[in-house]
Amino acid sequence: MVTGAMPPASLQPPPEGTCDAMTTTAVPSKIRVENVSFAYSNAEALRGVSLDVYPHEVTVLFGPARSGKTTLLRLLNRLTDLLEGTRRSGRIYLDGQDIFAPDVDVAELRRRVGMVFAMPIPLPMSIRANLTYGLQLKGVRDRALLEARVESALRAAALWDEVKDRLEDPASSLSGGQQQRLCLARILALEPEVILLDNPTSGLDPISTSKVEASLHELKQRYTIIAVPHSVQQAARIADRAAFMLGGEVIEVGTAREIFTRPRDPRTRDYVEGRFG
Amino acid sequence: MSRGTKQKLAFALLTAAAVVVVVPVLLVAGYIIWRGAGAISLEFLLSAPRHGLREGGIFPAAIGTVILTLGTAIVALPLGVGAAIYLSEYARDDLLTRLIRMAIINLAGIPSVVYGLFGLGLFVLFLRCGTSILAGSLTLGLLTLPVVISTAEEAIRAVPQSFRVVSVSLGGTKWQTIRHLVLPNALPGIITGVILGLERAAGETAPILFTVAAVYLPRLPRSVFDQTMALPYHLFVISTQVPGMPMTLQFGTALVLLAFVLSLNAAATIIRSHFRRRRSW
Amino acid sequence: MAIEQQAATHAVPVARRRRLRGETAAEALVRLSGISVIIFVVLVFVFLAREGIPAFFEVEVGNLLGTRWYPTVGRYGLLPLVTGSLLVTAGAVLISVPLGLAAAIYMHELAPAWLREILKPLIEILAGIPSVVLGFLGMIAVAPLLREHLNMPTGLSAFAGSVMLAYMALPTIISVSDDAIDAVPRSYRDASLALGANHWQTVCHAVVPAARSGIVVAVMLGIGRAIGETMAVLMVTGNAARMPDGLSALFQPVRTMTATIAAEMGEVANGSVHYHVLFAIGIVLFLITFLVNLLASVLMLRRGTRRDQLLE
Ligand SMILES: Nc1ncnc2c1ncn2[C@@H]1O[C@H](COP(=O)(O)OP(=O)(O)O)[C@@H](O)[C@H]1O
Ligand SMILES: [Mg+2]
């Protein structure tokens, strides 16, 4: 494969030509996963996964538990680096740049590709400090800029009205749904390009869930979104594009309409129709 | 004897044992306060000993103990916290780590008088610090190190792993995460550990015997290369080496030393419970 | 290819390069702090050896193994000091182990929660009392009591030292025993009770045996603590360097290794034979406590107990 042989890419212009040649649409993919396999120290988790993710879409990864969805998300911003004894092969490109190239600034990558975890994990500090944490680590000192980002991020996560008068309160004083939106806002404050949502509504009540779902439609105007839903129904509600995962493999990828109305693979069909998993 | 009687007898003995353990503690504290309180006065606390130590106060010894305690903290805090960070955040399960852990256990077991010998051999003589605050602080700092490391490591490990993952996922590097997230949250535990270590160091006599302590030095030390008096050594001297020493002064000195050490203990306890109640995780 | 690589390295932004350097420096520093602990142990050993090993060349082995300690006339027999230390330590263990174990069982099994909340800080206070303060009280209060009630010529004796050491070792023994008892699985207890045993029988036949290895660790640590204790022993044992002759020696003055170092190091000339011998005693102490603590830690790690208990 041509891309595979490229030198470390930070200086290179994004090799859009190569990407274009492989995709079916005219838009270049934001993220390209190419034949990725991954194993934890004690278990294989992904086998030969390939996937294209396009900008301004919600791409959904769905499938039964332990099918590798979380693992794939973790690979996309290299949180897997934190674990020891893992093995990986294949390549992942963000805007055509290999994210595992030796000269990649991992911290910068993680700011560009933000992750919201399944459980809301507010950091043990104030609401405001949660939002400015990432920016301050990046070196942003400008108070006005920090303030502006706090507000815009909270607005985008539909949380501003609820917390604007209590930004100094500990983040742990928020309800579960608010905490999850805080975690989303915390990512947005960094103005990322891609947002990874790992089952973001797992612990939430229906009202909070619909708030989060609604905000996705706003967010995808500006960001590329990859989400693991908590049910097939939710997948169908939020997805523009969907990938069905099973046993560490991507079984089938397509537009939401294709996958949820006329899946080609029988395993996808069974899962979508609720016959297993 | 029936089972029931046997049980009653056994439980009575257990209770007696607990009484035998605890009551002397109360007696010791009570006795020292009772006999020593009379000696306590501003004059006693703020003046130097006179007339072959038989009159006057304990000012230079008290100040010396405070200085040595600070010196101990300056030595043990950075090294101890650094080692704790290494063990909890960086160390792999390899030979080096096991050696460090064995070394900590070993350091913790070395008798305090052997620390004194070591301090004499290395700091006082070999490194030519002389009998000085510097040599004494270094010796006491090493003695305190194991306690500081183990409590600091425990405090650092108590910070949930998920916070670290979040910090890294927000673009934090490993060290930034430690600096801005882990350490601030582990700080109360670390401080508690350091104070507990200092509590031990402040009361030690054997390690300072040959490294810093002066029998009589009415003025305050001028630099870290000066000797200094210290409360534990002062108590030892006046209770064993000075014939005709008034008992009140002896008990007064014991009382001040005990109060200083136990107030460190109390401070540690208060900090610990205060932050335990406040923390959100 | 090589040129491109180099270009890429140069293209790394300054801020990031600085951050990377900070990152490496920070890791190097904390690793160094960790390694320093090993270095200190080595240094302790090296400097004890440096000052102590000459003793083995300056003094004949027969003299060192002799029974007379009279440094002023060149007699450096270590036996009375070693036996003195062992005697005092043995006495301390005989007192503190049963007492500490019983107190731990009491606190764990019998004491109501509110009482435990009072007992624990008291034991912490006991651990915090400086040894010189205990020694002072031992001299002033305990020794006279012993003299009157045990009809001894002087209360300053091995036994007085043992009592002091016992109390100093108690906090360690109680806390480690308490943890060991705590670690006994509920099921043992339930099984015993289900078989009709009463509370005491359960404690005696199910709980304590299951906690046995932890209790052994407590004893080891207690020994380690007692044998290295200095000031209290120096002040209450009467400091006569003589060979113990039978059980009665427990009630006569003795002198331990630690007390000898503390008492005499201040008066010897640096580099003299006496000075070297005192360091040699330090080596003996270092090795004994090293072995005792090593054994305790091996036992403890095998049980999978938290290692930080070792340090309390
Ligand atoms: N941290 C980990 N360490 C070891 N194995 C893991 C870890 N996380 C996940 N796995 C394993 O990897 C496989 C895929 O898990 P995951 O990616 O969490 O799937 P999903 O998110 O679809 O439930 C599972 O077999 C799981 O047991
Ligand atoms: Mg998952």
Side-chain angles (χ1 to χ4, degrees):
Chain A
M1 232 172 271
V2 190
T3 22
M6 293 221 334
S10 72
L11 263 191
Q12 310 279 322
E16 284 171 22
T18 27
C19 287
D20 276 351
M22 311 255 323
T23 54
T24 49
T25 40
V27 193
S29 59
K30 181 73 182 172
I31 290 181
R32 154 160 296 190
V33 179
E34 232 173 53
N35 195 24
V36 165
S37 298
F38 184 84
Y40 293 100
S41 55
N42 54 355
E44 196 174 78
L46 293 177
R47 228 173 321 147
V49 167
S50 295
L51 181 70
D52 281 294
V53 176
Y54 296 95
H56 308 298
E57 284 187 355
V58 175
T59 300
V60 149
L61 306 176
F62 74 111
R66 305 163 70 80
S67 56
K69 309 177 295 283
T70 300
T71 304
L72 183 52
L73 287 190
R74 283 189 194 135
L75 274 165
L76 296 182
N77 71 351
R78 289 183 58 175
L79 277 182
T80 45
D81 290 9
L82 298 184
L83 299 171
E84 278 175 33
T86 60
R87 292 175 306 280
R88 172 184 54 82
S89 64
R91 293 187 182 242
I92 298 177
Y93 300 97
L94 173 65
D95 286 339
Q97 300 174 1
D98 182 352
I99 65 166
F100 287 102
D103 62 336
V104 164
D105 181 348
V106 189
E108 184 57 30
L109 169 72
R110 291 179 183 139
R111 284 189 283 265
R112 289 172 68 192
V113 182
M115 168 91 108
V116 177
F117 300 90
M119 296 295 293
I121 307 168
L123 294 176
M125 44 184 87
S126 70
I127 295 171
R128 184 197 305 277
N130 261 277
L131 289 160
T132 55
Y133 183 84
L135 286 168
Q136 283 174 332
L137 293 195
K138 188 184 172 188
V140 176
R141 296 277 171 275
D142 181 355
R143 296 211 147 249
L145 177 61
L146 289 173
E147 281 311 300
R149 288 286 183 88
V150 166
E151 178 168 348
S152 63
L154 285 171
R155 283 191 189 281
L159 193 57
W160 174 250
D161 290 333
E162 291 160 62
V163 302
K164 62 171 185 277
D165 300 321
R166 44 185 290 209
L167 291 174
E168 303 309 328
D169 287 6
S172 54
S173 67
L174 297 173
S175 73
Q178 290 172 326
Q179 286 185 7
Q180 195 55 300
R181 278 176 283 148
L182 177 76
C183 293
L184 177 58
R186 193 165 61 184
I187 302 293
L188 298 179
L190 288 165
E191 303 207 323
E193 298 162 33
V194 181
I195 301 172
L196 311 175
L197 300 159
D198 189 355
N199 205 345
T201 60
S202 62
L204 303 191
D205 57 275
I207 294 175
S208 302
T209 301
S210 59
K211 275 189 187 170
V212 171
E213 285 181 16
S215 60
L216 289 186
H217 286 286
E218 300 281 319
L219 291 171
K220 73 180 178 195
Q221 314 302 325
R222 298 181 56 189
Y223 307 101
T224 304
I225 295 174
I226 306 176
V228 173
H230 77 115
S231 65
V232 177
Q233 288 74 10
Q234 188 180 45
R237 280 199 300 274
I238 62 177
D240 296 307
R241 188 175 294 273
F244 175 61
M245 295 189 67
L246 185 64
E249 295 181 64
V250 169
I251 304 297
E252 186 172 354
V253 198
T255 63
R257 176 177 304 236
E258 286 164 3
I259 297 289
F260 295 115
T261 57
R262 41 189 162 74
R264 271 165 293 149
D265 194 290
R267 289 169 294 181
T268 315
R269 194 178 313 131
D270 284 349
Y271 189 76
V272 169
E273 289 168 8
R275 252 177 262 154
F276 84 88
Chain B
M1 209 171 5
S2 82
R3 293 191 337 163
T5 333
K6 240 192 214 162
Q7 168 159 312
K8 265 196 200 118
L9 190 68
F11 284 0
L13 281 174
L14 292 180
T15 312
V19 169
V20 170
V21 169
V22 168
V23 166
V25 181
L26 295 170
L27 283 180
V28 163
Y31 191 56
I32 289 181
I33 294 173
W34 176 52
R35 306 255 339 236
I40 308 296
S41 65
L42 273 187
E43 147 88 12
F44 179 69
L45 293 173
L46 297 180
S47 68
R50 291 187 306 269
H51 287 123
L53 306 180
R54 289 188 192 84
E55 286 175 22
I58 53 168
F59 187 61
I63 293 297
T65 285
V66 172
I67 292 174
L68 285 175
T69 307
L70 289 177
T72 305
I74 292 171
V75 175
L77 185 69
L79 272 179
V81 175
I85 293 174
Y86 178 70
L87 287 174
S88 53
E89 303 288 321
Y90 290 95
R92 292 151 190 277
D93 186 17
D94 56 9
L95 183 66
L96 177 66
T97 308
R98 256 169 302 185
L99 278 178
I100 294 176
R101 295 218 179 275
M102 255 187 58
I104 294 172
I105 290 167
N106 187 224
L107 270 192
I110 295 177
S112 57
V113 72
V114 175
Y115 273 103
L117 289 180
F118 165 64
L120 172 65
L122 176 60
F123 303 127
V124 176
L125 299 176
F126 186 74
L127 296 177
R128 297 176 195 285
C129 300
T131 313
S132 62
I133 290 174
L134 182 62
S137 301
L138 287 166
T139 308
L140 288 173
L142 290 193
L143 172 130
T144 312
L145 205 50
V147 178
V148 175
I149 295 176
S150 67
T151 44
E153 190 188 347
E154 200 179 341
I156 291 172
R157 282 187 190 278
V159 176
Q161 185 63 25
S162 59
F163 292 169
R164 294 179 179 79
V165 177
V166 166
S167 171
V168 165
S169 78
L170 290 171
T173 60
K174 184 157 191 167
W175 178 247
Q176 284 179 325
T177 299
I178 294 170
R179 241 311 303 276
H180 296 284
L181 190 72
V182 177
L183 286 185
N185 282 291
L187 196 61
I190 293 174
I191 294 177
T192 307
V194 171
I195 297 179
L196 288 177
L198 294 183
E199 178 195 355
R200 170 154 179 230
E204 281 287 359
T205 315
I208 61 174
L209 278 177
F210 339 118
T211 55
V212 48
V215 176
Y216 179 61
L217 190 71
R219 63 173 175 80
L220 295 183
R222 300 204 176 92
S223 79
V224 293
F225 296 104
D226 252 5
Q227 294 192 357
T228 178
M229 296 181 77
L231 279 177
Y233 185 55
H234 186 62
L235 177 59
F236 173 67
V237 170
I238 60 178
S239 62
T240 61
Q241 322 272 302
V242 184
M245 185 74 203
M247 285 317 285
T248 19
L249 291 190
Q250 298 185 35
F251 274 101
T253 306
L255 177 55
V256 173
L257 175 58
L258 193 63
F260 181 62
V261 166
L262 291 187
S263 61
L264 286 176
N265 187 307
T269 312
I270 289 169
I271 292 175
R272 187 167 44 196
S273 65
H274 176 74
F275 282 93
R276 253 198 208 140
R277 237 179 306 120
R278 255 197 35 189
R279 82 175 172 205
S280 50
W281 35 276
Chain C
M1 185 72 187
I3 294 167
E4 273 165 352
Q5 290 264 308
Q6 215 173 24
T9 320
H10 278 290
V12 175
V14 178
R16 184 184 162 217
R17 217 164 38 204
R18 193 175 306 144
R19 212 178 50 217
L20 283 176
R21 212 175 310 141
E23 206 65 21
T24 326
E27 177 167 359
L29 262 181
V30 296
R31 177 189 300 252
L32 195 64
S33 325
I35 293 174
S36 74
V37 184
I38 301 176
I39 298 176
F40 290 135
V41 172
V42 173
L43 278 180
V44 170
F45 191 74
V46 165
F47 274 85
L48 289 181
R50 194 180 114 103
E51 308 287 330
I53 297 276
F56 297 102
F57 296 99
E58 294 160 356
V59 183
E60 289 163 39
V61 177
N63 190 348
L64 283 176
L65 293 183
T67 58
R68 280 151 43 88
W69 175 262
Y70 292 118
T72 42
V73 297
R75 307 302 302 179
Y76 293 107
L78 298 183
L79 276 187
L81 311 181
V82 174
T83 49
S85 278
L86 293 181
L87 184 66
V88 176
T89 300
V93 169
L94 286 180
I95 299 169
S96 61
V97 167
L99 201 54
L101 184 56
I105 296 175
Y106 174 78
M107 285 176 58
H108 203 274
E109 301 286 330
L110 299 182
W114 62 267
L115 187 55
R116 254 198 314 266
E117 292 311 305
I118 298 175
L119 293 179
K120 283 212 161 145
L122 276 177
I123 289 168
E124 233 174 85
I125 288 179
L126 177 57
I129 299 177
S131 84
V132 68
V133 171
L134 276 184
F136 169 66
L137 280 175
M139 246 172 37
I140 302 286
V142 179
L145 274 181
L146 292 179
R147 191 183 58 218
E148 281 167 31
H149 292 279
L150 299 180
N151 213 0
M152 293 153 59
T154 161
L156 299 174
S157 58
F159 183 66
S162 296
V163 173
M164 293 291 116
L165 287 188
Y167 274 86
M168 302 184 79
L170 272 174
T172 310
I173 292 178
I174 292 176
S175 106
V176 180
S177 306
D178 189 50
D179 289 334
I181 297 172
D182 212 33
V184 174
R186 256 221 89 76
S187 55
Y188 285 34
R189 198 185 288 273
D190 292 344
S192 169
L193 291 172
L195 289 174
N198 66 15
H199 191 175
W200 167 243
Q201 287 169 320
T202 301
V203 167
C204 210
H205 300 295
V207 176
V208 169
R212 198 177 47 216
S213 65
I215 292 165
V216 171
V217 170
V219 175
M220 303 296 301
L221 292 176
I223 294 176
R225 180 87 210 263
I227 209 161
E229 209 353 272
T230 309
M231 297 316 286
V233 176
L234 173 62
M235 293 163 86
V236 303
T237 52
N239 287 314
R242 32 176 288 180
M243 288 302 288
D245 41 9
L247 253 188
S248 64
L250 200 53
F251 298 97
Q252 288 164 357
V254 288
R255 174 169 237 201
T256 65
M257 295 186 278
T258 52
T260 304
I261 298 174
E264 298 179 8
M265 184 53 91
E267 283 145 31
V268 302
N270 293 342
S272 64
V273 176
H274 189 180
Y275 169 92
H276 289 148
V277 174
L278 291 180
F279 268 92
I281 299 175
I283 296 178
V284 174
L285 275 171
F286 178 86
L287 291 178
I288 293 177
T289 48
F290 178 71
L291 288 179
V292 169
N293 283 292
L294 189 69
L295 198 57
S297 69
V298 168
L299 289 173
M300 186 171 283
L301 292 179
R302 192 181 301 157
R303 289 180 56 235
T305 319
R306 283 171 28 243
R307 76 199 153 265
D308 41 62
Q309 289 161 352
L310 268 182
L311 306 169
E312 286 307 318

